Amino acid sequence: MNLITIENPKEDETKPIINGIIEYGLSQVQNKLPRSWAFHAKDENIIVGGAIGRDHFSQFYLDHIWVREEFRSKGLGSHIHEQILDCASSCGCRRIQLNTLNKRAVDFYTKLGYSTLAIIEEYVDGFDLYYMAKEI
């Protein structure tokens, strides 16, 4: 058996490992895949904000939420979040979970009713990782 290290691997060099992890993980959850969701906020057909997430069993995982700089602090992020809540609820989710390194985002999520469940200090140089959740 050979063990090699590859710097900057190509997709075909990482895909067998990722597929193995996915295959094993799915075997543990009766092959139920998460559903992915995208939420777009458009101004004259230009995306100025949005979110990406997924639901799996009774959880909704909010992976990303973003609002273009000139549209921030005007309620758009909260409006996008309302759509996420509606979607998560209609999927039967009982909780929304997320992580962030952005302290400003922590303040935003706290105002939306999220609780900080854990903080990993200095997750990366100069940034703490916040794990947050909101029961719905």
Side-chain angles (χ1 to χ4, degrees):
M1 176 184 305
N2 289 336
L3 186 58
I4 60 172
T5 301
I6 304 167
E7 183 175 349
N8 298 318
K10 295 178 179 74
E11 183 180 349
D12 65 328
E13 295 168 315
T14 60
K15 197 150 183 76
I17 298 164
I18 293 168
N19 287 345
I21 292 167
I22 291 170
E23 182 179 310
Y24 175 77
L26 285 172
S27 76
Q28 301 301 299
V29 295
Q30 298 78 42
N31 290 320
K32 183 176 180 187
L33 288 167
R35 279 185 299 189
S36 297
W37 298 92
F39 307 86
H40 289 177
K42 292 184 173 186
D43 183 42
E44 298 182 18
N45 269 348
I46 297 171
I47 297 173
V48 297
I52 300 169
R54 55 204 151 80
D55 74 283
H56 202 213
F57 296 99
S58 63
Q59 307 296 308
F60 191 93
Y61 302 92
L62 179 54
D63 296 318
H64 304 284
I65 189 167
W66 163 80
V67 173
R68 199 172 178 161
E69 187 68 40
E70 62 267 28
F71 290 88
R72 292 183 187 161
S73 300
K74 297 179 181 177
L76 182 55
S78 297
H79 185 64
I80 293 167
H81 187 264
E82 287 172 23
Q83 273 198 282
I84 295 165
L85 275 173
D86 290 345
C87 178
S89 294
S90 69
C91 292
C93 295
R94 295 189 316 252
R95 179 167 64 177
I96 300 176
Q97 302 180 54
L98 61 91
N99 328 283
T100 186
L101 297 169
N102 183 328
K103 182 62 175 135
R104 186 173 174 195
V106 170
D107 297 337
F108 170 71
Y109 292 123
T110 300
K111 288 177 187 171
L112 293 174
Y114 284 79
S115 299
T116 300
L117 304 178
I119 302 171
I120 302 173
E121 295 180 357
E122 289 294 313
Y123 182 75
V124 293
D125 295 344
F127 295 93
D128 299 336
L129 177 68
Y130 294 83
Y131 178 66
M132 304 180 80
K134 175 183 176 77
E135 302 296 322
I136 55 175

